[in-house]
Amino acid sequence: MIRYSLICENAHEFEGWFSEGADFDRQVASGFLTCPVCNSVSISKSLMAPSVSTARKKEEMQTVAMDTARREAFLKLKEAVAAIKANSEDVGTRFPEEARKIHYGEADARGIIGQATPDEAEALVEEGIEIAALPVLPEDVN
């Protein structure tokens, strides 16, 4: 369906819905289309902004929804990282050494966090030591 803003010769504005553009032309030519206020048959289209559902509009609507979903996911991730940090010992740059000690039973099992270079992390994984990287998150989410 196509919606047109219409105006009669007496400046009465109204709208009409048509199955196609040619349908408007046929109704005007046959005198079937009349002004609902004054019954004039002299009708023309007036200027209007088209109401088209574009990919951009859909994307904008999805962005709003995704922003909300992203924000919620971010907040959950932030809570999870905070819980891990609160229940772990920060061993700093000694992380690879401490992880190996725990893995091989040379130190008590406990949760640890710290830093490792990419090469050190790869070596730990190759040894069968389970590790996971914690994301560095910004303080605030907009």
Side-chain angles (χ1 to χ4, degrees):
M1 295 292 283
I2 301 170
R3 180 179 61 97
Y4 289 126
S5 290
L6 305 174
I7 189 166
C8 77
E9 64 185 337
N10 298 313
H12 298 124
E13 295 181 9
F14 58 102
E15 67 180 39
W17 291 83
F18 304 91
S19 60
E20 59 185 359
D23 192 25
F24 167 80
D25 296 329
R26 281 192 298 271
Q27 289 186 33
V28 168
S30 69
F32 183 74
L33 186 60
T34 61
C35 173
V37 177
C38 67
N39 229 16
S40 170
V41 294
S42 181
I43 309 292
S44 61
K45 298 175 194 171
S46 65
L47 293 176
M48 64 177 278
S51 178
V52 178
S53 181
T54 63
R56 177 179 283 165
K57 283 183 183 178
K58 288 179 184 175
E59 183 178 308
E60 287 171 1
M61 290 176 66
Q62 288 175 342
T63 299
V64 170
M66 285 301 294
D67 285 346
T68 301
R70 240 181 266 159
R71 178 175 169 70
E72 289 174 8
F74 176 84
L75 292 174
K76 287 180 183 177
L77 180 60
K78 193 172 179 180
E79 288 174 12
V81 169
I84 291 168
K85 287 181 176 181
N87 294 296
S88 301
E89 178 186 344
D90 189 346
V91 294
T93 57
R94 297 179 331 199
F95 180 81
E97 175 187 343
E98 290 297 318
R100 283 188 179 92
K101 286 181 183 177
I102 293 169
H103 181 74
Y104 294 114
E106 299 168 5
D108 291 335
R110 65 196 191 282
I112 61 170
I113 58 173
Q115 296 86 41
T117 67
D119 289 339
E120 291 171 330
E122 185 177 343
L124 290 171
V125 171
E126 286 174 358
E127 288 179 51
I129 301 170
E130 293 182 16
I131 62 170
L134 288 180
V136 177
L137 304 171
E139 291 298 315
D140 294 322
V141 182
N142 292 331

